Amino acid sequence: MTRYIIIRLIQAVVTLIVISMVIFALARASGDPVMLMAPPMATLEDIEVIRQYLGLDKSLPEQYWTFLKSMARGDLGKSIQNRRDVTTLIAQRLPNTVSLSLPAIFLGITVSLILGVTAACRRGTWLDNGVRYLAILGQALPSFWLAIVAISVFAVALGWLPTSGMGGPANYVLPVLTLSFFMLPIFTRLIRSSMLEVLDSEYVKLARIKGLSERVVVWKHALRNAIIPLLTATGITFATIITGAVIIETVFAWPGIGRLMAEAMIRRDFPVIQASVMLVAVVVLMVNLLVDIVYAYVDPRIRY
Amino acid sequence: MSSELAIARAGFGTRVRHIWQTSRRLPLIPIIIMSAVVFVAIFADLITPYPPNEMSLPDRLTPPFFMPEGSTAHILGTDTIGRDILSRMMYGARISLSVSLMVIAIASVIGTFLGMIAGYRGGRVDAVLMRVTDAALAFPALLIALLLAVALGPKFSTVVLALSALSWAPFARMMRGEVLKLRGEDFVAHARVIGCSQARILIKHLFPNVVNTLVVLMTMSVGLVILIEASLSFLGAGIPPPTPSWGSMVADGRNLFDRAWWISLFPSLAIGSVVLSGNFLGDWIRDKMDPRLRQL
């Protein structure tokens, strides 16, 4: 087990280094920062001074090393747009994204559990087909459009809820609902197929023979085992939520990191994007590492 | 007597019924939608009623023809600066389709190459390649696309590059699994015994056996790629304006949905129906070619 954890840790570090190299390369490809900083009247000597000041006169490996060191110190650069520390910008926005996505994840998982399990138990009926078509439809409709429709119906036409921004609990309703809808199709499908497999197994048959009520068999014996393979989908969930957050926060003018990224994209504010992507990369890697370790712990066959 | 012969001898009515029964087994609606979109995309220059970027301020915010103030001059209405929605959607089909075709071509070549090598070689090569694939699969697709759009500027090539960088991983995964299953088969061993080179075994012996799966995955990816492209355009990281794209058209109309819903509704419907058709076609081809792939 220790060996497994060590191997996975090394792999995670290597992945992180590769990602940082890609980001570094893109940062260099995104244009010459000297030209952005230099005033229009700058002489060649001035430009050379700025170049030295920014450390751009050094060799590429040296520059990369400096880049790594400042990353490790948590110094992710300054936003081009307002010269503020990117770290502070992200730290300000992060809680808003968390407070939006946690209820959405909770709601999404609950609803897809109910839908997936009911569909699997009534395989082949109209209910199962209905859930399946709903999942297919949910995957095909552009989610940003769904958010727009939700705003125009519930906020503009009916006036029940605020259109955008943050504020009271009412502001949470539409973004949380649409964000949770993001993960519904994938999750319902996964749970349904996992449940179908488990319901076919010997121990479920045994539980039925023992005379347990159908409710206990399904929700206790079967569901507990059906959830284990879903652990590996945690990484996918996370990626879906991040993608969803960028779009949903943009539509609802929600001041989270998703919107920060979308705005930075429009202003071509590279340091902000770079830092956000690096942050997400670290979190994704950590989540996956944790999932792998938990999974290896639960299922001993996985270990090396 | 074979059924073809029976039909050839039978009368016209039977033949029509036979064609009808065969066609009923085809996913007709998805096929019609897809062919219509392909047709429109190819001949957009010839059939659009207006140039896609022609502004006409007096006609701005004209509703679609079935609305009281609508006119048949602009069947699906116009946007805030009087551009014809239908014409823009037709050109948008061209963008969506060409992006997704290019992306799928690039992604499937890279993914198949890496996946087959990983599956065939196994060992350390496999371990490294699959780690990279896992990392690519786990990373939020949209972020890489945003990163590339900022670094390289939003243009056609950036969008294709970004989407390809995201889409090769599922292909690599799938192809590796298929090759892994076939690697131990006798025909591979025989090929090796008679001295085939590794490249020859991969291309001539293994590839024909995995091409079905590849086609299925390619069809199923069309919808996904169109959807991500639309999200990118919606966020402003896609093909830059004024080139019409379905995603950016939805974005254009998003603040006007209560007054001018047609600006964003019709492009959204186009995205939804094309993605749905793509998924259904993929399902159908999968069942036709190999029902064992059900779990895909």
Side-chain angles (χ1 to χ4, degrees), chain A residues 8 11 15 19 23 26 29-30 133 136-137 139-142 144-145 148-149 152 156 235 239 242-243 246-247 250-251 261-262 264-266 268-270 273-274 277 280-281 284 288 292, chain B residues 127 131 135 137-144 146-154 227 230-231 234-237 247 250-251 253-254 257-258 264-265 268-269 271-272 275-276 279-280 283:
Chain A
R8 290 293 290 108
Q11 282 174 344
T15 320
I19 292 175
I23 291 180
L26 284 173
S30 68
Y133 281 115
I136 293 174
L137 202 70
Q139 270 181 322
L141 278 179
F144 46 88
W145 182 70
I148 298 173
V149 173
S152 50
V156 178
I242 295 283
T243 310
V246 175
I247 290 169
T250 309
V251 176
M261 281 187 252
M265 203 278 311
I266 288 164
R268 297 201 66 178
D269 197 339
F270 193 82
I273 290 274
Q274 161 186 310
V277 171
V280 172
V284 166
N288 280 319
D292 282 355
Chain B
R131 269 292 127 197
L137 278 175
F139 209 75
L142 203 67
L143 288 198
I144 305 181
L146 284 183
L147 188 74
L148 281 171
V150 177
L152 309 173
L227 209 54
S231 313
F234 178 76
L235 291 171
V250 178
R254 86 173 207 241
F257 198 85
D258 48 323
S264 58
L265 177 76
S268 317
L269 287 182
I271 299 170
V275 174
L276 264 184
N279 292 355
F280 274 121
D283 275 359

Side-chain angles (χ1 to χ4, degrees), chain B residues 117-155:
Chain B
I117 286 184
Y120 185 71
R121 293 291 294 270
R124 204 164 282 172
V125 180
D126 182 35
V128 169
L129 284 178
M130 279 306 109
R131 269 292 127 197
V132 177
T133 313
D134 283 347
L137 278 175
F139 209 75
L142 203 67
L143 288 198
I144 305 181
L146 284 183
L147 188 74
L148 281 171
V150 177
L152 309 173
K155 26 177 208 283

Side-chain angles (χ1 to χ4, degrees), chain A residues 2 31 174 181 187 205 221 304:
Chain A
T2 326
L174 286 182
F181 200 82
F187 249 71
K205 279 178 201 148
H221 291 244
Y304 282 104

Side-chain angles (χ1 to χ4, degrees), chain A:
Chain A
M1 191 67 188
T2 326
R3 197 176 112 83
Y4 175 76
I5 295 178
I6 290 171
I7 292 177
R8 290 293 290 108
L9 261 176
I10 294 172
Q11 282 174 344
V13 170
V14 171
T15 320
L16 204 59
I17 290 174
V18 173
I19 292 175
S20 73
M21 278 178 174
V22 172
I23 291 180
F24 176 76
L26 284 173
R28 288 298 164 268
S30 68
D32 193 351
V34 178
M35 289 306 156
L36 272 172
M37 282 185 78
M41 304 294 285
T43 59
L44 277 177
E45 281 134 49
D46 294 340
I47 289 177
E48 200 47 46
V49 170
I50 300 175
R51 198 176 290 277
Q52 273 173 17
Y53 170 71
L54 290 174
L56 291 174
D57 54 336
K58 302 206 178 79
S59 69
L60 270 183
E62 271 178 285
Q63 284 186 37
Y64 175 65
W65 181 238
T66 332
F67 170 79
L68 269 191
K69 274 196 295 191
S70 52
M71 278 268 175
R73 261 188 278 120
D75 171 17
L76 299 168
K78 284 184 165 55
S79 155
I80 291 177
Q81 194 221 338
N82 49 22
R83 306 304 304 158
R84 286 173 62 199
D85 264 344
V86 173
T87 332
T88 356
L89 276 179
I90 291 179
Q92 276 174 356
R93 300 287 195 101
L94 195 60
N96 295 342
T97 301
V98 173
S99 72
L100 174 66
S101 41
L102 280 186
I105 293 176
F106 180 74
L107 187 72
I109 289 181
T110 316
V111 175
S112 47
L113 265 182
I114 296 171
L115 284 181
V117 171
T118 356
C121 290
R122 291 178 178 66
R123 186 180 193 181
T125 61
W126 61 270
L127 205 129
D128 182 26
N129 286 330
V131 168
R132 264 179 47 225
Y133 281 115
L134 208 69
I136 293 174
L137 202 70
Q139 270 181 322
L141 278 179
S143 40
F144 46 88
W145 182 70
L146 206 73
I148 298 173
V149 173
I151 291 180
S152 50
V153 172
F154 295 106
V156 178
L158 297 172
W160 291 349
L161 297 158
T163 48
S164 61
M166 250 186 117
N171 288 70
Y172 278 85
V173 177
L174 286 182
V176 166
L177 279 180
T178 38
L179 189 54
S180 66
F181 200 82
F182 242 85
M183 36 191 293
L184 266 187
I186 312 173
F187 249 71
T188 311
R189 265 183 149 172
L190 283 174
I191 290 169
R192 180 179 169 274
S193 56
S194 178
M195 267 306 267
L196 280 178
E197 217 162 278
V198 171
L199 284 175
D200 208 35
S201 65
E202 296 294 322
Y203 54 81
V204 167
K205 279 178 201 148
L206 177 74
R208 286 211 175 107
I209 293 169
K210 277 201 307 189
L212 294 178
S213 75
E214 188 65 19
R215 215 183 65 206
V216 176
V217 172
V218 169
W219 292 99
K220 211 168 161 193
H221 291 244
L223 184 60
R224 278 196 187 174
N225 288 292
I227 282 181
I228 296 176
L230 293 183
L231 263 182
T232 42
T234 319
I236 304 174
T237 320
F238 193 75
T240 324
I241 285 292
I242 295 283
T243 310
V246 175
I247 290 169
I248 296 298
E249 287 178 5
T250 309
V251 176
F252 286 97
W254 190 269
I257 42 168
R259 184 152 167 253
L260 183 72
M261 281 187 252
E263 284 170 350
M265 203 278 311
I266 288 164
R267 302 209 175 88
R268 297 201 66 178
D269 197 339
F270 193 82
V272 174
I273 290 274
Q274 161 186 310
S276 324
V277 171
M278 204 63 202
L279 176 82
V280 172
V282 172
V283 178
V284 166
L285 277 175
M286 285 201 316
V287 167
N288 280 319
L289 189 65
L290 266 178
V291 169
D292 282 355
I293 292 171
V294 170
Y295 204 71
Y297 185 74
V298 177
D299 189 344
R301 281 169 303 178
I302 306 290
R303 289 172 218 168
Y304 282 104

Side-chain angles (χ1 to χ4, degrees), chain B:
Chain B
M1 189 163 60
S2 73
S3 59
E4 276 83 27
L5 210 61
I7 288 154
R9 285 197 189 153
F12 179 71
T14 325
R15 230 178 300 170
V16 169
R17 209 174 307 140
H18 176 74
I19 293 172
W20 167 240
Q21 270 162 5
T22 321
S23 65
R24 258 181 24 151
R25 266 176 262 137
L26 297 171
L28 270 188
I29 297 174
I31 289 180
I32 292 172
I33 291 179
M34 274 309 206
S35 348
V37 172
V38 170
F39 178 83
V40 164
I42 295 173
F43 298 106
D45 297 317
L46 302 174
I47 54 176
T48 47
Y50 299 90
N53 295 321
E54 187 185 77
M55 292 187 271
S56 160
L57 288 178
D59 294 332
R60 70 177 196 275
L61 294 180
T62 310
F65 74 97
F66 49 81
M67 298 275 288
E69 297 115 72
S71 81
T72 43
H74 298 281
I75 293 180
L76 296 184
T78 59
D79 65 5
T80 39
I81 47 178
R83 292 177 298 192
D84 185 53
I85 301 278
L86 181 64
S87 309
R88 288 180 67 73
M89 275 174 64
M90 286 173 161
Y91 276 91
R94 181 177 272 188
I95 294 290
S96 288
L97 277 191
S98 48
V99 166
S100 64
L101 287 184
M102 281 179 77
V103 166
I104 288 168
I106 297 173
S108 59
V109 169
I110 298 176
T112 308
F113 179 73
L114 293 181
M116 286 184 75
I117 286 184
Y120 185 71
R121 293 291 294 270
R124 204 164 282 172
V125 180
D126 182 35
V128 169
L129 284 178
M130 279 306 109
R131 269 292 127 197
V132 177
T133 313
D134 283 347
L137 278 175
F139 209 75
L142 203 67
L143 288 198
I144 305 181
L146 284 183
L147 188 74
L148 281 171
V150 177
L152 309 173
K155 26 177 208 283
F156 189 83
S157 53
T158 315
V159 174
V160 172
L161 183 72
L163 293 178
S164 317
L166 307 168
S167 322
W168 62 271
F171 285 94
R173 250 292 163 74
M174 202 68 209
M175 288 299 115
R176 171 187 176 260
E178 290 293 299
V179 170
L180 215 54
K181 267 190 266 168
L182 293 169
R183 194 171 60 166
E185 297 277 324
D186 282 344
F187 71 90
V188 179
H190 292 323
R192 217 175 291 159
V193 167
I194 59 169
C196 291
S197 70
Q198 214 176 89
R200 193 182 164 85
I201 293 178
L202 280 174
I203 297 167
K204 283 264 179 182
H205 297 266
L206 285 171
F207 185 71
N209 283 294
V210 297
V211 76
N212 278 3
T213 320
L214 184 62
V215 170
V216 172
L217 198 57
M218 283 169 89
T219 328
M220 293 185 124
S221 308
V222 174
L224 198 66
V225 173
I226 289 183
L227 209 54
I228 305 180
E229 189 269 327
S231 313
L232 272 185
S233 308
F234 178 76
L235 291 171
I239 317 256
T243 311
S245 133
W246 291 345
S248 57
M249 288 176 75
V250 178
D252 285 346
R254 86 173 207 241
N255 293 325
L256 293 163
F257 198 85
D258 48 323
R259 281 183 291 140
W261 47 267
W262 54 89
I263 301 179
S264 58
L265 177 76
F266 293 121
S268 317
L269 287 182
I271 299 170
S273 51
V274 168
V275 174
L276 264 184
S277 311
N279 292 355
F280 274 121
L281 276 183
D283 275 359
W284 179 74
I285 295 178
R286 180 194 60 194
D287 291 349
K288 276 274 135 176
M289 281 186 166
D290 190 353
R292 278 174 309 164
L293 296 171
R294 263 282 153 83
Q295 74 272 26
L296 224 155

